[in-house]
Amino acid sequence: MLIQPIDYFLVAWFAIAAASTLYVGFDQYRNNPEPVVMKWGFILVTLYMGPLGLLLYVLADKEPRPGEHEDFTKPLWKQGVGSTIHCVAGDATGIILAAVITAALGLPMWLDLIVEYLAGFAFGLFIFQSLFMKSMMGGTYWENVRKSFLPEFISMNFMMAGMAPVMSFLMMGRDMRAMEPPELLFWGVMSIGVIAGFALAYPANVWLVARKLKHGLMTVRPQAAEPGQETKQPHGGASDMAEEGHAGHTGKTAPAKAPMKAKAPSQAKASASHAAQAQPAKGQHEGMEMHHAGNHAQQGHDMASHAGKKSGGHQMETDATTPQIAALGVVSLIALAIGMMAPANWLNLTLSARDVGGAIMPPGMIMDRDTPAAAMRDMAAVDPRLVSFKADPAARGGTVLEPRIENGVKVFDLEASVIRWSILPGVTVEAFAYNKQVPGPTLRVTQGDRVRINVTNRLPESTTVHWHGLDVPNAMDGPAHVTQRPIEPGETFSYEYTVEQSGTYFYHTHDHVDRQQALGLYGALIIDPKNPADAITADLEYTVQLQEWLKREGLTFPSMPMDGGFPNFFTINGKSYPATDTIKMKVGQLLKIRFVGSNTTAIHPMHIHGGPFEVAAIDGATLPQSARYMV
């Protein structure tokens, strides 16, 4: 269910990302002459970065016309893009997989970041660099691990330095649905994090390519085979490939005689002989084949001198000095430390997705590194997806609930659930309600009655019921973890006691009381005196129950007396003016009004506008005639 505007944006974003990824994958395998590892690098990065990944592919790597890939990818900035793509594809995949697992395990955010770093580095080094690049780099797998370690370490440090603060601040910001992998917002944060990581890692990757510490973009084209040789040969590659031997591989379809004029006679003869053996296949560009043949001798010389041991291996000899590499490594570590540790100054990184995942905080609410998980959950919005009932806009709360009699006991059934309740025409709130109404049903009994109230919990959290001001056995009083174990979701608990008092009282939740009562879990409890002569008689009777609501950005939050928690709607018996009840009476009639302070935020002075009235009882105690007063 889409519950916030950002959700609709993310649906559009991921639809575009999917379309962009399909295009890149199709074009890579159909048209672009590139190694498989780079094909998958661009596919994964486009999946993570959406249209930005597509833009990078088109600007830096997509062959503009057949045979031009080598020249097109030669600029250093494009080679840097290729190197960063390769880094991000492997590292981000490991990071995202780790983020899903750590969220499921309920690890705290600080440990989550460490696990993500280790997983990203391991996946990038052992899989994307050393394994997938093995056929191009030459040597054994563990030789490639050793050679790739330092550049991968530097690149990963910068990438995580960009991703870590983005993930920390966005996952633990106002909308902490971002901590839950099933939520779109989680994947949106991952996408933003990958973009930030790419941006921070790119400059370092440009330098690593320029200094021949990492490979950039490469080209693989079908080529006529010598006896016993492979039929494909990688071209281009890192900047050293463009500079040493591969600079001549423009891929243009110019006549073969043009490049051959620049060769020595013996080279030209060898090239011509080789070209004669490699006749163009049907449908291929003859000029292009001749061009590759004309450069074959030079290519072999360059590759041999470059690889040293294995023909075709894309091994490089860096010209970077040890102080340069050390300085870049130290800076990458400093950036990583800042990215990983700085968020702890503002966020409580000891919390996990299991603690606060899915919570949405109200606008203006101040949360810092000391805010505990319980406080965040209490202040969070009601998830609209939990609504199980939509009340009719004309429905009224506080209706009298008639009991059934079982062996002389008056039995009431209360069910707490999440409903959508109308407080004004066109204005609804997600409420916690008893018996699908706000306020909950009025319970009316007589002094001396034995009562049993069966409470069933259909809420997403535990609850209890407290009988405010009533003297009952301790086990029936209701405070959670004090006099009883909370009623967990799906459970039923029965409260049973004999009513010893009379007067006006109310019942309400006593588990997460600031949250649950502010969201509607309360109702009037009226006890008539056993002796009718003790009753305060009147021609008409009306009960006023007060409440405040906080409705912002389409969500309902429990109103609280703190920044970000102040209410913006006030209700009498669940309705705001002008949807409130009208009391109709005739001149000469006596009206009795019971005021119940069921609200949680503020003190509300109440009066009957236009005339004085007499206070006859307070907190369930009837005042003697001499103690009553006019207000």
Side-chain angles (χ1 to χ4, degrees):
M1 179 181 177
L2 307 179
I3 63 176
Q4 287 286 277
I6 186 66
D7 299 335
Y8 295 92
F9 171 81
L10 289 173
V11 168
W13 174 265
F14 288 124
I16 296 172
S20 300
T21 304
L22 288 173
Y23 172 80
V24 170
F26 178 81
D27 192 71
Q28 278 278 24
Y29 275 93
R30 183 178 177 87
N31 302 315
N32 216 43
E34 193 148 63
V36 173
V37 65
M38 287 307 302
K39 292 180 187 293
W40 276 101
F42 271 101
I43 290 171
L44 289 172
V45 168
T46 306
L47 181 65
Y48 303 149
M49 295 173 55
L52 295 181
L54 174 62
L55 180 65
L56 289 172
Y57 173 64
V58 172
L59 294 182
D61 188 51
K62 174 178 166 56
E63 188 173 48
R65 284 167 292 276
E68 295 187 2
H69 191 256
E70 293 88 342
D71 270 355
F72 181 70
T73 61
K74 190 184 303 181
L76 181 59
W77 75 267
K78 295 182 181 181
Q79 293 293 319
V81 167
S83 177
T84 313
I85 288 286
H86 193 255
C87 161
V88 169
D91 297 349
T93 299
I95 290 171
I96 293 172
L97 290 174
V100 172
I101 295 171
T102 54
L105 294 176
L107 299 184
M109 180 62 76
W110 68 268
L111 185 55
D112 178 11
L113 293 175
I114 294 174
V115 173
E116 288 175 15
Y117 173 82
L118 295 174
F121 181 58
F123 199 90
L125 175 63
F126 295 113
I127 305 298
F128 251 74
Q129 290 287 354
S130 303
L131 181 61
F132 291 171
M133 292 284 287
K134 181 177 180 298
S135 61
M136 279 172 263
M137 294 172 66
T140 67
Y141 173 78
W142 290 110
E143 285 176 345
N144 288 326
V145 169
R146 179 179 58 81
K147 294 174 183 177
S148 301
F149 180 87
L150 189 58
E152 172 64 19
F153 175 73
I154 292 172
S155 186
M156 175 63 190
N157 286 349
F158 280 113
M159 182 181 169
M160 193 63 183
M163 286 193 71
V166 168
M167 291 188 295
S168 297
F169 282 107
L170 293 185
M171 284 184 165
M172 304 195 72
R174 277 194 50 231
D175 195 340
M176 287 181 283
R177 292 179 302 154
M179 300 181 76
E180 297 283 0
E183 298 282 357
L184 275 177
L185 200 56
F186 173 90
W187 300 100
V189 169
M190 288 294 122
S191 183
I192 296 173
V194 171
I195 293 170
F198 185 99
L200 202 59
Y202 175 71
N205 274 271
V206 170
W207 187 84
L208 291 170
V209 170
R211 299 278 67 81
K212 305 171 189 175
L213 284 165
K214 285 192 74 178
H215 290 83
L217 296 168
M218 289 171 277
T219 305
V220 173
R221 294 192 184 279
Q223 188 170 323
E226 296 286 356
Q229 289 184 343
E230 297 290 337
T231 59
K232 290 187 178 181
Q233 179 67 39
H235 296 257
S239 60
D240 65 309
M241 294 299 158
E243 294 166 359
E244 299 181 23
H246 287 263
H249 282 246
T250 61
K252 295 179 180 179
T253 57
K257 63 181 180 179
M260 290 178 68
K261 286 183 179 180
K263 291 184 177 289
S266 60
Q267 290 177 314
K269 183 177 180 180
S271 297
S273 174
H274 181 75
Q277 296 174 14
Q279 294 299 325
K282 186 176 181 179
Q284 291 180 324
H285 294 286
E286 182 175 357
M288 181 178 69
E289 292 296 329
M290 290 295 292
H291 182 73
H292 280 292
N295 283 273
H296 182 72
Q298 183 64 34
Q299 174 193 341
H301 170 75
D302 292 333
M303 293 302 295
S305 62
H306 210 44
K309 293 183 180 180
K310 295 205 174 187
S311 174
H314 278 236
Q315 299 189 20
M316 301 175 291
E317 292 182 6
T318 180
D319 59 357
T321 64
T322 299
Q324 289 175 333
I325 297 173
L328 185 61
V330 169
V331 170
S332 75
L333 282 173
I334 294 173
L336 176 65
I338 293 173
M340 297 276 276
M341 298 170 63
N345 193 55
W346 297 276
L347 305 172
N348 187 347
L349 296 184
T350 65
L351 303 181
S352 70
R354 194 170 293 173
D355 293 327
V356 292
I360 304 178
M361 297 293 104
M365 183 65 69
I366 298 174
M367 299 179 296
D368 57 27
R369 64 189 181 193
D370 299 318
T371 307
M376 292 184 185
R377 289 194 301 269
D378 280 351
M379 294 183 289
V382 179
D383 189 338
R385 294 170 293 190
L386 297 174
V387 169
S388 61
F389 176 79
K390 297 180 181 179
D392 187 278
R396 316 304 288 188
T399 59
V400 175
L401 179 62
E402 296 296 335
R404 66 181 184 275
I405 308 299
E406 294 181 358
N407 299 322
V409 178
K410 289 184 177 179
V411 180
F412 299 89
D413 294 317
L414 293 179
E415 181 181 85
S417 62
V418 183
I419 71 168
R420 183 160 290 127
W421 181 259
S422 175
I423 60 174
L424 272 175
V427 180
T428 60
V429 293
E430 282 75 50
F432 285 9
Y434 291 120
N435 293 16
K436 300 180 174 61
Q437 56 184 284
V438 179
T442 298
L443 306 183
R444 189 154 195 165
V445 297
T446 302
Q447 185 180 19
D449 284 345
R450 183 73 177 177
V451 299
R452 182 186 307 129
I453 302 99
N454 301 317
V455 180
T456 301
N457 182 13
R458 305 294 182 195
L459 300 172
E461 57 195 63
S462 63
T463 191
T464 62
V465 178
H466 171 64
W467 319 98
H468 198 86
L470 217 58
D471 294 332
V472 298
N474 199 51
M476 299 290 107
D477 196 40
H481 304 292
V482 178
T483 64
Q484 74 169 93
R485 184 180 68 85
I487 309 169
E488 297 297 333
E491 293 183 348
T492 297
F493 184 87
S494 295
Y495 296 89
E496 186 168 338
Y497 49 84
T498 299
V499 179
E500 303 289 351
Q501 300 150 267
S502 65
T504 303
Y505 301 88
F506 78 107
Y507 63 94
H508 61 88
T509 176
H510 218 298
D511 185 12
H512 310 287
V513 61
D514 287 341
R515 171 180 178 78
Q516 294 183 3
Q517 188 172 326
L519 292 173
L521 286 186
Y522 61 91
L525 176 59
I526 298 174
I527 307 172
D528 296 315
K530 191 171 186 178
N531 182 2
D534 295 334
I536 301 173
T537 59
D539 299 308
L540 301 172
E541 186 176 307
Y542 188 73
T543 301
V544 172
Q545 299 181 73
L546 306 176
Q547 189 178 358
E548 309 95 350
W549 296 90
L550 175 57
K551 177 83 174 191
R552 291 280 175 84
E553 299 178 357
L555 297 172
T556 303
F557 303 88
S559 62
M560 296 183 182
M562 61 180 67
D563 287 343
F566 291 109
N568 55 357
F569 288 96
F570 299 84
T571 59
I572 293 176
N573 296 344
K575 301 293 180 180
S576 283
Y577 181 83
T580 46
D581 292 331
T582 297
I583 302 174
K584 295 182 179 182
M585 58 186 298
K586 296 179 180 180
V587 174
Q589 286 184 319
L590 183 64
L591 171 69
K592 178 166 66 175
I593 294 184
R594 305 174 190 266
F595 288 107
V596 179
S598 47
N599 53 295
T600 56
T601 297
I603 296 172
H604 290 279
M606 302 294 293
H607 75 135
I608 305 298
H609 196 75
F613 61 96
E614 182 183 64
V615 176
I618 296 177
D619 290 337
T622 300
L623 299 176
Q625 193 64 46
S626 60
R628 299 180 186 183
Y629 55 95
M630 302 296 291
V631 293

